[in-house]
Amino acid sequence: MNKVKYFETLIDACINIRRINVQSSQNSNKEQNFQLLDLFFQVGNWFCHAYNEKSATWKILKLDKFQKVAIAISQDSLINRKELVASFKQYEAWVVM
């Protein structure tokens, strides 16, 4: 099982609906802001469903690729849990097509 360096911060962001700033080797090491829908475990690895508000896209991110994670300074105009779930369901339906 791969260790996740920022696990507590990521759990906090999921539970308390907080925007996070992430730098990940999975995304060319550039910093991006996400809202997390959930964290999940699969085949020995932790992942999350993450919504990037700037690009209005969903991503599945591998948590052990995160090089930096912090709660974002700005928590303005967050999407609430109900809207996040609805957006993700719409994304899943589109992906399956």
Side-chain angles (χ1 to χ4, degrees):
M1 181 167 97
N2 290 332
K3 288 198 172 219
V4 177
K5 186 174 181 181
Y6 301 99
F7 199 75
E8 292 82 13
T9 303
L10 296 167
I11 289 280
D12 176 60
C14 279
I15 292 171
N16 296 306
I17 309 172
R18 296 176 186 230
R19 182 178 294 116
I20 58 170
N21 186 290
V22 174
Q23 183 177 359
S24 171
S25 61
Q26 186 176 343
N27 288 324
S28 306
N29 290 326
K30 66 180 181 178
E31 289 188 18
Q32 295 181 344
N33 286 330
F34 292 101
Q35 271 191 258
L36 304 183
L37 177 63
D38 57 17
L39 305 180
F40 62 97
F41 187 79
Q42 190 172 24
V43 193
N45 295 292
W46 282 97
F47 298 87
C48 68
H49 290 110
Y51 182 70
N52 182 319
E53 295 170 35
K54 187 174 182 179
S55 63
T57 57
W58 281 95
K59 296 189 179 286
I60 296 174
L61 302 174
K62 193 171 178 215
L63 302 187
D64 67 343
K65 299 291 185 183
F66 289 1
Q67 297 167 327
K68 177 184 168 188
V69 174
I71 300 297
I73 294 170
S74 171
Q75 295 295 319
D76 295 337
S77 65
L78 290 172
I79 300 170
N80 66 42
R81 173 79 55 204
K82 186 177 179 180
E83 291 170 333
L84 269 179
V85 170
S87 173
F88 183 71
K89 285 181 180 179
Q90 191 174 30
Y91 162 78
E92 278 188 311
W94 180 79
V95 169
V96 173
M97 293 173 110

Short mmCIF file of all heavy atoms in Angstrom, two decimals, residues 42-84:
data_model
loop_
_atom_site.label_atom_id
_atom_site.label_comp_id
_atom_site.label_asym_id
_atom_site.label_seq_id
_atom_site.Cartn_x
_atom_site.Cartn_y
_atom_site.Cartn_z
N GLN A 42 -7.88 1.63 -4.30
CA GLN A 42 -8.03 0.62 -5.34
C GLN A 42 -6.66 0.03 -5.65
O GLN A 42 -5.70 0.77 -5.90
CB GLN A 42 -8.64 1.26 -6.59
CG GLN A 42 -9.06 0.31 -7.65
CD GLN A 42 -9.82 1.03 -8.76
OE1 GLN A 42 -9.67 2.22 -8.97
NE2 GLN A 42 -10.63 0.29 -9.48
N VAL A 43 -6.56 -1.27 -5.61
CA VAL A 43 -5.35 -2.02 -5.95
C VAL A 43 -4.11 -1.45 -5.25
O VAL A 43 -3.08 -1.19 -5.86
CB VAL A 43 -5.14 -2.08 -7.48
CG1 VAL A 43 -4.08 -3.11 -7.85
CG2 VAL A 43 -6.42 -2.38 -8.23
N GLY A 44 -4.22 -1.19 -3.97
CA GLY A 44 -3.07 -0.74 -3.17
C GLY A 44 -2.75 0.73 -3.28
O GLY A 44 -1.71 1.18 -2.78
N ASN A 45 -3.59 1.51 -3.93
CA ASN A 45 -3.33 2.93 -4.12
C ASN A 45 -4.55 3.76 -3.74
O ASN A 45 -5.69 3.34 -3.92
CB ASN A 45 -2.98 3.22 -5.58
CG ASN A 45 -1.70 2.58 -6.00
OD1 ASN A 45 -0.63 2.95 -5.53
ND2 ASN A 45 -1.78 1.59 -6.86
N TRP A 46 -4.30 4.98 -3.26
CA TRP A 46 -5.36 5.94 -2.94
C TRP A 46 -5.53 6.91 -4.10
O TRP A 46 -4.55 7.38 -4.68
CB TRP A 46 -5.01 6.72 -1.68
CG TRP A 46 -5.23 5.96 -0.43
CD1 TRP A 46 -4.29 5.26 0.28
CD2 TRP A 46 -6.47 5.81 0.27
NE1 TRP A 46 -4.88 4.69 1.38
CE2 TRP A 46 -6.21 5.01 1.39
CE3 TRP A 46 -7.76 6.26 0.05
CZ2 TRP A 46 -7.21 4.66 2.30
CZ3 TRP A 46 -8.75 5.92 0.95
CH2 TRP A 46 -8.47 5.12 2.06
N PHE A 47 -6.79 7.22 -4.40
CA PHE A 47 -7.16 8.14 -5.47
C PHE A 47 -8.23 9.11 -4.95
O PHE A 47 -8.81 8.89 -3.89
CB PHE A 47 -7.75 7.38 -6.66
CG PHE A 47 -6.82 6.41 -7.31
CD1 PHE A 47 -6.72 5.11 -6.85
CD2 PHE A 47 -6.05 6.79 -8.40
CE1 PHE A 47 -5.87 4.19 -7.46
CE2 PHE A 47 -5.19 5.88 -9.01
CZ PHE A 47 -5.10 4.58 -8.53
N CYS A 48 -8.52 10.13 -5.74
CA CYS A 48 -9.65 11.01 -5.44
C CYS A 48 -10.31 11.44 -6.73
O CYS A 48 -9.68 11.46 -7.80
CB CYS A 48 -9.21 12.23 -4.63
SG CYS A 48 -8.17 13.39 -5.53
N HIS A 49 -11.59 11.76 -6.62
CA HIS A 49 -12.30 12.43 -7.70
C HIS A 49 -12.20 13.92 -7.37
O HIS A 49 -12.61 14.34 -6.30
CB HIS A 49 -13.77 11.99 -7.75
CG HIS A 49 -13.94 10.59 -8.20
ND1 HIS A 49 -14.36 9.59 -7.36
CD2 HIS A 49 -13.75 10.02 -9.40
CE1 HIS A 49 -14.42 8.46 -8.03
NE2 HIS A 49 -14.06 8.69 -9.28
N ALA A 50 -11.60 14.68 -8.28
CA ALA A 50 -11.31 16.09 -8.03
C ALA A 50 -11.88 16.96 -9.14
O ALA A 50 -11.73 16.66 -10.33
CB ALA A 50 -9.80 16.28 -7.94
N TYR A 51 -12.51 18.05 -8.71
CA TYR A 51 -13.10 18.99 -9.66
C TYR A 51 -12.25 20.25 -9.74
O TYR A 51 -11.96 20.89 -8.72
CB TYR A 51 -14.52 19.37 -9.21
CG TYR A 51 -15.21 20.29 -10.17
CD1 TYR A 51 -15.63 19.84 -11.42
CD2 TYR A 51 -15.45 21.62 -9.84
CE1 TYR A 51 -16.27 20.69 -12.31
CE2 TYR A 51 -16.10 22.47 -10.73
CZ TYR A 51 -16.49 22.00 -11.96
OH TYR A 51 -17.11 22.84 -12.84
N ASN A 52 -11.83 20.58 -10.95
CA ASN A 52 -11.06 21.79 -11.20
C ASN A 52 -12.03 22.86 -11.69
O ASN A 52 -12.55 22.78 -12.80
CB ASN A 52 -9.98 21.53 -12.25
CG ASN A 52 -9.11 22.72 -12.51
OD1 ASN A 52 -9.58 23.85 -12.58
ND2 ASN A 52 -7.83 22.47 -12.69
N GLU A 53 -12.30 23.83 -10.83
CA GLU A 53 -13.27 24.87 -11.17
C GLU A 53 -12.82 25.73 -12.35
O GLU A 53 -13.63 26.14 -13.18
CB GLU A 53 -13.51 25.77 -9.97
CG GLU A 53 -14.16 25.07 -8.81
CD GLU A 53 -14.15 25.92 -7.56
OE1 GLU A 53 -14.29 27.15 -7.66
OE2 GLU A 53 -14.01 25.35 -6.47
N LYS A 54 -11.54 26.00 -12.43
CA LYS A 54 -11.02 26.88 -13.49
C LYS A 54 -11.30 26.29 -14.88
O LYS A 54 -11.72 26.99 -15.78
CB LYS A 54 -9.52 27.11 -13.29
CG LYS A 54 -8.94 28.12 -14.22
CD LYS A 54 -7.49 28.41 -13.89
CE LYS A 54 -6.93 29.47 -14.80
NZ LYS A 54 -5.55 29.79 -14.48
N SER A 55 -11.06 24.99 -15.02
CA SER A 55 -11.29 24.35 -16.33
C SER A 55 -12.63 23.63 -16.40
O SER A 55 -12.98 23.08 -17.45
CB SER A 55 -10.16 23.35 -16.62
OG SER A 55 -10.17 22.31 -15.66
N ALA A 56 -13.37 23.62 -15.29
CA ALA A 56 -14.67 22.94 -15.20
C ALA A 56 -14.56 21.48 -15.64
O ALA A 56 -15.36 20.98 -16.43
CB ALA A 56 -15.73 23.68 -16.01
N THR A 57 -13.54 20.80 -15.13
CA THR A 57 -13.30 19.40 -15.48
C THR A 57 -13.11 18.55 -14.23
O THR A 57 -12.66 19.02 -13.20
CB THR A 57 -12.04 19.25 -16.35
OG1 THR A 57 -10.92 19.80 -15.66
CG2 THR A 57 -12.19 19.94 -17.69
N TRP A 58 -13.45 17.28 -14.38
CA TRP A 58 -13.22 16.28 -13.34
C TRP A 58 -11.97 15.49 -13.67
O TRP A 58 -11.69 15.24 -14.84
CB TRP A 58 -14.42 15.33 -13.26
CG TRP A 58 -15.56 15.91 -12.53
CD1 TRP A 58 -16.63 16.56 -13.06
CD2 TRP A 58 -15.75 15.94 -11.12
NE1 TRP A 58 -17.48 16.98 -12.07
CE2 TRP A 58 -16.96 16.61 -10.86
CE3 TRP A 58 -15.00 15.47 -10.04
CZ2 TRP A 58 -17.44 16.80 -9.57
CZ3 TRP A 58 -15.48 15.66 -8.75
CH2 TRP A 58 -16.69 16.32 -8.53
N LYS A 59 -11.24 15.11 -12.63
CA LYS A 59 -10.05 14.28 -12.80
C LYS A 59 -10.04 13.20 -11.72
O LYS A 59 -10.58 13.41 -10.64
CB LYS A 59 -8.78 15.11 -12.67
CG LYS A 59 -8.62 16.16 -13.74
CD LYS A 59 -7.25 16.80 -13.68
CE LYS A 59 -7.08 17.83 -14.75
NZ LYS A 59 -6.90 17.33 -16.07
N ILE A 60 -9.42 12.10 -12.03
CA ILE A 60 -9.09 11.10 -11.02
C ILE A 60 -7.61 11.26 -10.77
O ILE A 60 -6.79 11.11 -11.69
CB ILE A 60 -9.43 9.68 -11.49
CG1 ILE A 60 -10.92 9.55 -11.71
CG2 ILE A 60 -8.92 8.65 -10.47
CD1 ILE A 60 -11.35 8.22 -12.30
N LEU A 61 -7.27 11.60 -9.54
CA LEU A 61 -5.88 11.85 -9.19
C LEU A 61 -5.35 10.79 -8.23
O LEU A 61 -6.06 10.37 -7.31
CB LEU A 61 -5.74 13.23 -8.53
CG LEU A 61 -6.23 14.41 -9.37
CD1 LEU A 61 -6.17 15.69 -8.56
CD2 LEU A 61 -5.39 14.54 -10.63
N LYS A 62 -4.12 10.36 -8.46
CA LYS A 62 -3.46 9.39 -7.60
C LYS A 62 -2.75 10.16 -6.48
O LYS A 62 -1.89 11.00 -6.74
CB LYS A 62 -2.47 8.58 -8.42
CG LYS A 62 -1.95 7.37 -7.73
CD LYS A 62 -1.15 6.51 -8.69
CE LYS A 62 -0.61 5.32 -7.92
NZ LYS A 62 0.70 4.94 -8.38
N LEU A 63 -3.14 9.88 -5.25
CA LEU A 63 -2.71 10.70 -4.12
C LEU A 63 -1.21 10.63 -3.82
O LEU A 63 -0.64 11.59 -3.33
CB LEU A 63 -3.51 10.36 -2.87
CG LEU A 63 -5.03 10.51 -2.99
CD1 LEU A 63 -5.69 10.30 -1.64
CD2 LEU A 63 -5.42 11.84 -3.59
N ASP A 64 -0.56 9.51 -4.12
CA ASP A 64 0.88 9.43 -3.83
C ASP A 64 1.72 10.23 -4.84
O ASP A 64 2.93 10.38 -4.67
CB ASP A 64 1.36 7.99 -3.72
CG ASP A 64 1.30 7.22 -5.02
OD1 ASP A 64 0.61 7.66 -5.97
OD2 ASP A 64 1.94 6.15 -5.10
N LYS A 65 1.09 10.80 -5.84
CA LYS A 65 1.78 11.67 -6.81
C LYS A 65 1.80 13.12 -6.37
O LYS A 65 2.45 13.95 -6.97
CB LYS A 65 1.11 11.58 -8.20
CG LYS A 65 1.12 10.21 -8.80
CD LYS A 65 2.51 9.79 -9.19
CE LYS A 65 2.50 8.46 -9.92
NZ LYS A 65 3.83 7.99 -10.24
N PHE A 66 1.05 13.44 -5.29
CA PHE A 66 0.99 14.81 -4.79
C PHE A 66 2.32 15.19 -4.15
O PHE A 66 2.81 14.51 -3.28
CB PHE A 66 -0.13 14.98 -3.76
CG PHE A 66 -1.52 14.93 -4.33
CD1 PHE A 66 -1.76 14.73 -5.68
CD2 PHE A 66 -2.60 15.09 -3.50
CE1 PHE A 66 -3.05 14.70 -6.19
CE2 PHE A 66 -3.90 15.06 -3.99
CZ PHE A 66 -4.11 14.86 -5.35
N GLN A 67 2.87 16.30 -4.61
CA GLN A 67 4.13 16.80 -4.06
C GLN A 67 3.89 17.92 -3.06
O GLN A 67 4.74 18.20 -2.23
CB GLN A 67 5.03 17.27 -5.20
CG GLN A 67 5.39 16.12 -6.12
CD GLN A 67 6.02 16.59 -7.40
OE1 GLN A 67 5.70 17.66 -7.92
NE2 GLN A 67 6.92 15.79 -7.93
N LYS A 68 2.75 18.57 -3.19
CA LYS A 68 2.39 19.66 -2.28
C LYS A 68 0.87 19.73 -2.22
O LYS A 68 0.20 19.65 -3.25
CB LYS A 68 2.95 20.98 -2.81
CG LYS A 68 2.58 22.20 -2.01
CD LYS A 68 3.11 23.46 -2.68
CE LYS A 68 2.51 24.69 -2.07
NZ LYS A 68 2.85 25.90 -2.80
N VAL A 69 0.34 19.87 -1.00
CA VAL A 69 -1.10 20.03 -0.80
C VAL A 69 -1.30 21.03 0.31
O VAL A 69 -0.65 20.95 1.35
CB VAL A 69 -1.79 18.70 -0.40
CG1 VAL A 69 -3.25 18.94 -0.05
CG2 VAL A 69 -1.67 17.67 -1.50
N ALA A 70 -2.18 21.99 0.09
CA ALA A 70 -2.51 22.97 1.12
C ALA A 70 -3.96 23.40 0.93
O ALA A 70 -4.46 23.42 -0.20
CB ALA A 70 -1.59 24.18 1.04
N ILE A 71 -4.60 23.73 2.03
CA ILE A 71 -5.93 24.31 1.94
C ILE A 71 -5.75 25.68 1.27
O ILE A 71 -4.90 26.47 1.67
CB ILE A 71 -6.57 24.47 3.33
CG1 ILE A 71 -6.71 23.10 4.02
CG2 ILE A 71 -7.91 25.18 3.24
CD1 ILE A 71 -7.61 22.11 3.34
N ALA A 72 -6.51 25.93 0.22
CA ALA A 72 -6.39 27.19 -0.53
C ALA A 72 -6.79 28.37 0.35
O ALA A 72 -7.68 28.25 1.20
CB ALA A 72 -7.26 27.14 -1.77
N ILE A 73 -6.13 29.48 0.13
CA ILE A 73 -6.44 30.70 0.89
C ILE A 73 -7.87 31.14 0.61
O ILE A 73 -8.63 31.44 1.51
CB ILE A 73 -5.42 31.81 0.56
CG1 ILE A 73 -4.04 31.40 1.07
CG2 ILE A 73 -5.87 33.14 1.17
CD1 ILE A 73 -2.92 32.29 0.59
N SER A 74 -8.24 31.17 -0.65
CA SER A 74 -9.59 31.61 -1.02
C SER A 74 -10.56 30.41 -0.95
O SER A 74 -10.35 29.39 -1.60
CB SER A 74 -9.61 32.18 -2.43
OG SER A 74 -10.94 32.40 -2.83
N GLN A 75 -11.59 30.60 -0.17
CA GLN A 75 -12.65 29.59 -0.09
C GLN A 75 -13.97 30.19 -0.59
O GLN A 75 -15.04 29.70 -0.28
CB GLN A 75 -12.78 29.08 1.35
CG GLN A 75 -11.57 28.32 1.86
CD GLN A 75 -11.31 27.02 1.11
OE1 GLN A 75 -12.21 26.28 0.78
NE2 GLN A 75 -10.04 26.76 0.83
N ASP A 76 -13.85 31.25 -1.40
CA ASP A 76 -15.03 31.91 -1.96
C ASP A 76 -15.68 31.03 -3.03
O ASP A 76 -15.00 30.30 -3.75
CB ASP A 76 -14.65 33.25 -2.60
CG ASP A 76 -14.13 34.25 -1.58
OD1 ASP A 76 -14.46 34.10 -0.39
OD2 ASP A 76 -13.40 35.16 -1.99
N SER A 77 -16.97 31.14 -3.14
CA SER A 77 -17.79 30.50 -4.18
C SER A 77 -17.52 29.00 -4.35
O SER A 77 -17.37 28.51 -5.46
CB SER A 77 -17.65 31.22 -5.51
OG SER A 77 -16.34 31.12 -6.03
N LEU A 78 -17.45 28.29 -3.24
CA LEU A 78 -17.29 26.84 -3.31
C LEU A 78 -18.58 26.19 -3.79
O LEU A 78 -19.67 26.71 -3.59
CB LEU A 78 -16.96 26.28 -1.92
CG LEU A 78 -15.58 26.60 -1.37
CD1 LEU A 78 -15.48 26.16 0.08
CD2 LEU A 78 -14.50 25.95 -2.20
N ILE A 79 -18.43 25.07 -4.44
CA ILE A 79 -19.59 24.28 -4.86
C ILE A 79 -19.98 23.41 -3.68
O ILE A 79 -19.14 22.71 -3.10
CB ILE A 79 -19.23 23.43 -6.09
CG1 ILE A 79 -18.80 24.33 -7.25
CG2 ILE A 79 -20.40 22.55 -6.48
CD1 ILE A 79 -18.21 23.58 -8.41
N ASN A 80 -21.27 23.41 -3.32
CA ASN A 80 -21.68 22.60 -2.18
C ASN A 80 -21.70 21.11 -2.56
O ASN A 80 -21.61 20.75 -3.74
CB ASN A 80 -23.03 23.07 -1.60
CG ASN A 80 -24.19 22.87 -2.55
OD1 ASN A 80 -24.30 21.84 -3.22
ND2 ASN A 80 -25.07 23.85 -2.62
N ARG A 81 -21.79 20.26 -1.56
CA ARG A 81 -21.72 18.80 -1.77
C ARG A 81 -22.77 18.32 -2.78
O ARG A 81 -22.46 17.53 -3.67
CB ARG A 81 -21.89 18.10 -0.43
CG ARG A 81 -22.00 16.59 -0.50
CD ARG A 81 -20.71 15.85 -0.68
NE ARG A 81 -19.76 16.20 0.35
CZ ARG A 81 -18.45 16.07 0.21
NH1 ARG A 81 -17.95 15.61 -0.91
NH2 ARG A 81 -17.63 16.40 1.17
N LYS A 82 -23.99 18.80 -2.65
CA LYS A 82 -25.07 18.37 -3.54
C LYS A 82 -24.75 18.71 -4.99
O LYS A 82 -24.94 17.90 -5.90
CB LYS A 82 -26.38 19.02 -3.10
CG LYS A 82 -27.60 18.55 -3.85
CD LYS A 82 -28.85 19.20 -3.29
CE LYS A 82 -30.08 18.74 -4.05
NZ LYS A 82 -31.30 19.34 -3.52
N GLU A 83 -24.25 19.92 -5.23
CA GLU A 83 -23.89 20.34 -6.59
C GLU A 83 -22.68 19.56 -7.12
O GLU A 83 -22.62 19.25 -8.31
CB GLU A 83 -23.61 21.84 -6.61
CG GLU A 83 -24.84 22.69 -6.39
CD GLU A 83 -24.51 24.15 -6.18
OE1 GLU A 83 -23.40 24.47 -5.70
OE2 GLU A 83 -25.37 24.99 -6.48
N LEU A 84 -21.72 19.26 -6.24
CA LEU A 84 -20.56 18.46 -6.65
C LEU A 84 -21.00 17.07 -7.11
O LEU A 84 -20.55 16.58 -8.15
CB LEU A 84 -19.56 18.31 -5.50
CG LEU A 84 -18.44 19.32 -5.38
CD1 LEU A 84 -17.58 19.01 -4.16
CD2 LEU A 84 -17.59 19.41 -6.61
#
